[in-house]
């Protein structure tokens, strides 16, 4: 099976051939895969080198000319390092771009802390009017990438990961999907966390919701999934509790309990495999079952 990043290269290459308004800005990462597209469209496929602030500034400049730019690199270099440019060159200028990341929170542990970005979505939450997609499968990534590209001139973040579910879910951008129904609360699985959540909740009387789009937050979908018992567990592949404020706001008029599971704030200085990181964060299926079961009891 291909990866989300493979699908991004394929989809974006085809879109560049189809739409002269589309531009792609790179910062060395994945540049080799886009070499054929750059040969065909040298004026619209630009590699600025390892200059991430320039990456976003160039995207903002292209957007000001009326183009639809896609900017791509690892999440830590796309959101965290050039955050001032994201804030000023895109949001403050009133222009939109599609930011497509790779490497997520723990995709390449050997790269160390510099290549991990568990705080990216929380950081974007400090800015207004962002759409954030977190696909859990390459098929979903393709659908959401196409939606992001065609989403007017909005600012859209598409968070790709090597961590993915075994099968795609039929998703509607901006809406949660009900995967399993129950009466003792709801567990919201974000993107690549779905398989572990389904294994962890097997036999439990809970509703499992799936989110491939987390901003805007589907408040109506969460409310509709809860019966008399408003217990909610958020399982996110980035900083724990990132969506807690959104969920609290959705349920502000009714008593509820919330448990946010994700990557902890504590520093992890031992770098192993992705499964080892998931286990260390309590995001593997056995750990999730224990934590969810304890909360619901």
């Amino acid at each position: 099976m291909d990866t989300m990043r493979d699908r991004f290269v394929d989809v974006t290459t085809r879109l560049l051939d189809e739409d002269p308004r589309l531009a792609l800005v790179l910062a060395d990462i994945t540049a080799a895969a886009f070499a054929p597209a750059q040969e065909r469209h040298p004026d619209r496929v630009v590699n600025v080198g390892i200059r991430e602030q320039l990456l976003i500034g160039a995207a903002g400049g292209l957007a000001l000319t009326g183009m639809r730019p896609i900017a791509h690199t690892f999440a830590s270099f796309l959101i965290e390092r050039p955050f001032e440019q994201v804030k000023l060159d895109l949001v403050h200028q009133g222009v939109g771009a599609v930011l497509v990341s790779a490497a997520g929170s723990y995709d390449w542990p050997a790269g160390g802390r510099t290549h991990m970005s568990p705080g990216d979505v929380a950081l974007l939450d400090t800015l207004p009017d962002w759409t954030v997609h977190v696909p859990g499968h390459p098929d979903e990534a393709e659908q959401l990438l196409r939606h992001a590209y065609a989403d007017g001139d909005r600012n859209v973040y598409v968070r790709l990961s090597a961590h993915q579910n075994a099968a795609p879910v039929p998703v509607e951008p901006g809406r949660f999907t009900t995967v399993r129904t129950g009466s003792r609360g709801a567990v919201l699985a974000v993107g690549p966390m779905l398989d572990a959540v389904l294994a962890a909740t097997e036999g439990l009387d809970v509703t499992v919701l799936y989110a491939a789009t987390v901003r805007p937050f589907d408040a109506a979908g969460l409310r509709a999934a809860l019966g008399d018992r408003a217990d909610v567990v958020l399982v996110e592949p980035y900083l724990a509790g990132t969506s807690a404020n959104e969920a609290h706001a959705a349920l502000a008029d009714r008593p509820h309990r919330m448990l946010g599971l994700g990557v902890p704030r504590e520093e992890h200085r031992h770098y192993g495999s992705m499964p080892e990181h998931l286990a260390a964060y309590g995001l593997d299926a056995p750990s999730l079952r224990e934590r969810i079961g304890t909360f619901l009891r």
Side-chain angles (χ1 to χ4, degrees), residues 1-12 14 100 133-147 158-171 191-192 195 210 212:
M1 181 170 59
D2 60 347
T3 66
M4 297 187 211
R5 196 168 165 193
D6 293 334
R7 195 69 63 92
F8 162 61
V9 172
D10 181 59
V11 170
T12 305
R14 282 184 277 143
V100 181
H133 300 305
V134 188
H137 186 275
D139 289 357
E140 298 166 18
E142 176 167 352
Q143 178 185 350
L144 295 171
L145 282 163
R146 290 185 175 277
H147 183 272
V158 185
R159 190 183 204 265
L160 305 182
S161 177
H163 182 200
Q164 60 191 55
N165 301 315
V169 173
V171 297
D195 280 359
Y210 177 61

Side-chain angles (χ1 to χ4, degrees), residues 92-118:
H92 188 64
Q93 291 283 2
V95 295
V98 181
L99 307 187
V100 181
S101 72
S105 299
Y106 36 67
D107 280 20
W108 188 28
R113 187 66 175 90
T114 56
H115 289 69
M116 299 178 180
S117 186

